[in-house]
Amino acid sequence: VNVTFTWKAELGTHEFDFLVDYYDRLSESSEDNNSEHIELTTQIPDLVIEDLTWTPPDAGVGDLVTFTVKVKNQGPGNAGATRVLANIDGKYIGNYAIDPLKPDESATTTFQWEATPGSHYVSVTADSDKNEGETNEENNQLKKTFSILPPDLLISSITWAPVNPNLGDTVTFTVNIENKGGGKAENFHLAYYIDDELITTVPVTSLAADNTTFKTYNWKSKEGRHTFKAFVDFNDYVAEENENNNGYSVTIVPNMAD
């Protein structure tokens, strides 16, 4: 006859003893073969970060970067529901759910981060709540470094109208600003100079990578030879790839009356 019972497996090595005729009610030809002893070791999981990627791979300042984390159970036992902890530069980003995993199964989760200038490191940790007993508790974390491309602001050209002004004419200068870098530039100022004297500054809210914008300035022409200069990021607010290409100058000489 077979007798069955159920037991919820727990972590570790366990001993089971079975004894028939426990109350010794039967007279038997042998009383020495009524017991059996067995040991059972449960199979446990081993969770690792199998992969960590991000898009866009060459992110610029201000981009929304999406990180994809792949968790694998490389152990022989089943893993219950767990969580993945994400940090960037040591700062908490989130703690994300991972479904239960059978041996050799993988699951992914994603999180997002708005890119800031400079070099950074991202760290992700499987079973961050330490809910699972594992064959190896030292292989749950993965770190990677990455860099965010900075903007690069420059004045690509300055034009004016009329091209040949007379003395006293109102001259309109058009200043073309480009962002040649990999990231967005925000909250910077454009400065105007006449003969190296600062006249005024104007704000620019935002300029995306590989984009151009323009600003205009009106000046009443005066006698003689004059230099008009524009300087972008006058307040030095934007960390740029190249800080030495922000200025541009032109020379203008109004026509004199006969």
Side-chain angles (χ1 to χ4, degrees), residues 11 45-49 79-85 95-96 98 123-142:
L11 180 64
D46 184 20
L47 297 171
V48 296
I49 304 296
T82 57
R83 304 188 77 83
V84 170
L85 174 67
N95 207 15
Y96 305 95
I98 295 291
S123 169
V124 288
T125 305
D127 190 26
S128 57
D129 294 335
K130 299 298 182 184
N131 288 332
E132 287 291 332
E134 300 181 63
T135 57
N136 185 353
E137 295 285 0
E138 305 300 322
N139 61 354
N140 293 98
Q141 188 177 77
L142 179 64

Side-chain angles (χ1 to χ4, degrees), residues 20-183:
V20 67
D21 192 22
Y22 175 78
Y23 294 105
D24 197 23
R25 291 175 178 174
L26 298 177
S27 298
E28 302 179 61
S29 59
S30 175
E31 297 286 353
D32 299 323
N33 59 356
N34 287 14
S35 64
E36 182 72 23
H37 175 85
I38 63 171
E39 290 188 356
L40 183 151
T41 300
T42 54
Q43 300 294 324
I44 58 177
D46 184 20
L47 297 171
V48 296
I49 304 296
E50 186 176 16
D51 200 11
L52 170 62
T53 59
W54 54 87
T55 56
D58 297 320
V61 174
D63 287 346
L64 192 62
V65 183
T66 299
F67 293 85
T68 300
V69 185
K70 189 175 184 180
V71 180
K72 182 178 181 179
N73 178 9
Q74 64 180 19
N78 294 331
T82 57
R83 304 188 77 83
V84 170
L85 174 67
N87 291 283
I88 293 181
D89 300 331
K91 296 179 181 179
Y92 175 82
I93 301 297
N95 207 15
Y96 305 95
I98 295 291
D99 291 334
L101 295 173
K102 295 179 180 179
D104 291 323
E105 280 190 342
S106 299
T108 60
T109 187
T110 62
F111 62 92
Q112 293 183 314
W113 171 76
E114 185 174 341
T116 58
S119 180
H120 306 275
Y121 73 89
V122 55
S123 169
V124 288
T125 305
D127 190 26
S128 57
D129 294 335
K130 299 298 182 184
N131 288 332
E132 287 291 332
E134 300 181 63
T135 57
N136 185 353
E137 295 285 0
E138 305 300 322
N139 61 354
N140 293 98
Q141 188 177 77
L142 179 64
K143 291 182 179 181
K144 286 188 176 183
T145 59
F146 61 98
S147 295
I148 298 301
L149 300 176
D152 186 17
L153 296 169
L154 57 89
I155 307 295
S156 59
S157 66
I158 298 176
T159 59
W160 62 92
V163 175
N164 297 302
N166 294 314
L167 189 64
D169 283 351
T170 297
V171 180
T172 299
F173 293 96
T174 300
V175 179
N176 289 295
I177 309 167
E178 290 190 32
N179 180 1
K180 288 288 191 180

Side-chain angles (χ1 to χ4, degrees), residues 163-204:
V163 175
N164 297 302
N166 294 314
L167 189 64
D169 283 351
T170 297
V171 180
T172 299
F173 293 96
T174 300
V175 179
N176 289 295
I177 309 167
E178 290 190 32
N179 180 1
K180 288 288 191 180
K184 179 170 57 177
E186 294 183 305
N187 301 320
F188 56 93
H189 281 73
L190 175 68
Y192 300 129
Y193 296 81
I194 298 290
D195 300 328
D196 291 327
E197 180 183 350
L198 177 63
I199 304 302
T200 189
T201 65
V202 292
V204 181

